[in-house]
Each structure stands twice: as C-alpha cells, then as structure tokens.
Amino acid sequence: MDESLDTVLVEYDEDRGVGTLTMNRPDALNALSAQLRDDIVAGLELLEEQNEGADGVALRAVVLEGAGEKAFCAGADIGGFSDESSGGSSARSHYDFIRDFPAPVIAKIDGYCLGGGLETALACDFRLATESSTFGFPEVNLGILPGAGGVQYVEKIAGPAVAKELAMFGDHISAERAADEGIINRVYDDDEFDDEVDEYVTDLAGQAPLAVQAIKKSADMAVHSGLEEGLEYDRQLFEGLLQTEDHAEGAAAFGEDREPEFEGK
Ligand code: COA
C-alpha cells in the first residue's frame, strides 16, 4: 500500500509490518500547515487499516520523517498561524493521535527539528537523529510559547532548567546535546543514518507486538498518573500478557535456546 496524500506520503512494508509517513512540504521545511497536520492523522489511519482482520498486530511500527535535505520539520507554518496553535482542523490533534496510536512511532530526524516539529517528535515514542540535526523552540522569537506542551514534555524529560533555557532563549541545540539531555534517543553519523534506523526499526518490529503495545500504554500512562495508580495499571497489563501465546512462545524459545516467533496472540 503506497498512497500520496496532499502533504504526506504513506508507505507500508508488509513483510516487516512497518509503515512510513513522510511529511512532504520540503520547500517550507515541512512546516506544519493545517493540511499537513490533517494528513499525518489520515496517514496514520490508513496504516492502522492494515491491522483490520489481523488481530490489531499487523502494523508493528511507524517511521515519521521529513522530505528534503534540510528538515524534519521547522514547526508551525508561520504563514498560516491564525488556524493553529496546537492542532489542525481534526477533532484530535496529530500530537494526540501519535501518542494514542497503538504501534510505536519513531521520529526519524535529519535536519531542523523546531517548535511544533520538536513537539511532534516528542509525541513519538522514539527520536533518532543525524548528528547534523538541530533542535529548539524558537516560538519566543515570535512572542509566544510552544503551543502543544513542548515545555511540559521537555521538563519531564530533562528538568525545568533545560526546558526554560530552550524555550526562553529560542536557540538551536545540537543533536549531541539533545541526546545528552535525554530529549532524543540516538544520534548517528549522517552517512550511516538510513541503515542504522532501518536496523533499529526492524528490531523493534520483531518484538512481541502485544507486549510492545502494552509497554507503550504503560509508559504514556506514567506521564499522567501517580506511582500507585501506574503500578496497578502495569499489574493488569502484566496479568493479561501472561495469558498470551506470545508469552508461552517466548518462554518455550528460551528453554529450547532458539529465537521466538511472535504472532501477536
Ligand atoms: N513556516 C513557514 N515557512 C517556513 C517555516 C515555517 N515555520 N520555516 C521555514 N519556512 C520556509 C521559509 O520561509 C523559506 O521559504 P521561501 O524559500 O519561500 O522563502 C523556506 O522554508 C526555507 O527556509 P529558510 O529560512 O530560507 O532556510 P534557512 O536554512 O535559511 O533557515 C530556519 C532555516 C529553520 C532556521 C528558518 O527557516 C527559521 O527560523 N524558520 C522558522 C522556525 C520557527 O520559528 N518555527 C516555529 C514556528 S512557531
């Protein structure tokens, strides 16, 4: 399944169960127009359709990237500001949609990752970047703050001092610094980036899918809940996973010293 929406290219690799969404406004550094926000949601919905009739586990991972040589995404479309602050015209913003999406979403970042682009990456489950990528919240230069919770999310990852520094100065930081602060997961040489990301995504897509979906829910729940509530939630997820065929297969494979074959059941 390959589809070309107005501003997003959608691809699906059936063998690995990996979808790819490419934000496709390279002339505007993939700035988030209302159309682009809507198309990210529409692209995710198309990919989710692959799960129909497959017990919800055909789609194992989604890669979100930016077209062109320069940017993952340079933030909100400054020209179209009146229709934006945190969401496009969809009922749920693309940020919410990515966070609630059942399969993990990986931001593949090569170039500028700014403002709403960084907030989009923060909504993803993983952030992988080239060493030449740069990150920042330039909104303060426009007299505003990141409108989709950027300060909140960076505060949770890296603490208030880092969140304030990024958002109050509006400077770009390097991929190396972003990784040091925990804002991104991995930094790769530009030359090896595609291969490294491919390997990372293939490994992730091969993990037991019900466990991966449960872990995503657990980690996201922890952002909103207290520890007691989170521990109870994890206990319920754990009880459910103990009953799955994948768990039996994983245990059997360990005992037989072979690689497990997970089927998402
Ligand atoms: N919204 C709309 N268009 C944008 C954009 C944005 N957020 N960011 C870049 N563009 C457009 C530029 O207007 C330019 O269009 P043009 O070729 O028609 O003039 C094109 O993308 C290339 O950008 P340019 O500024 O020429 O590239 P650069 O390499 O010199 O600078 C940036 C890159 C990212 C530093 C610079 O474009 C920038 O600061 N953009 C704004 C980032 C921002 O403030 N985002 C948060 C918004 S709340």
Side-chain angles (χ1 to χ4, degrees), residues 138-246:
E139 285 87 346
V140 70
N141 299 321
L142 301 169
I144 53 177
L145 90 169
V151 175
Q152 302 287 323
Y153 284 104
V154 171
E155 192 280 334
K156 289 201 186 308
I157 296 169
V162 174
K164 288 175 192 168
E165 194 175 279
L166 267 182
M168 288 189 194
F169 287 87
D171 292 337
H172 300 183
I173 62 168
S174 67
E176 193 186 353
R177 166 103 198 269
D180 284 348
E181 302 293 2
I183 296 168
I184 63 175
N185 293 78
R186 303 286 176 103
V187 184
Y188 298 108
D189 283 351
D190 292 42
D191 294 346
E192 293 158 14
F193 187 52
D194 287 341
D195 289 344
E196 295 279 6
V197 172
D198 222 44
E199 197 179 321
Y200 189 100
V201 173
T202 302
D203 284 353
L204 179 64
Q207 299 295 78
L210 296 176
V212 166
Q213 291 182 6
I215 292 163
K216 173 165 176 164
K217 283 188 184 148
S218 168
D220 290 347
M221 199 244 185
V223 174
H224 305 286
S225 74
L227 184 59
E228 279 307 316
E229 200 187 340
L231 291 175
E232 178 51 33
Y233 187 69
D234 275 15
R235 268 192 288 274
Q236 287 170 18
L237 291 171
F238 183 71
E239 291 298 328
L241 289 170
L242 279 180
Q243 312 303 322
T244 62
E245 290 177 24
D246 279 356

Side-chain angles (χ1 to χ4, degrees), residues 25-32 70-71 73-81 112 114-117 136-139 141-142 144-146 172:
R25 300 187 69 214
D27 293 344
L29 305 186
N30 304 315
L32 289 165
K70 287 179 70 174
C73 171
D77 190 315
I78 296 174
F81 236 109
Y112 294 113
L114 304 173
F137 286 132
E139 285 87 346
N141 299 321
L142 301 169
I144 53 177
L145 90 169
H172 300 183

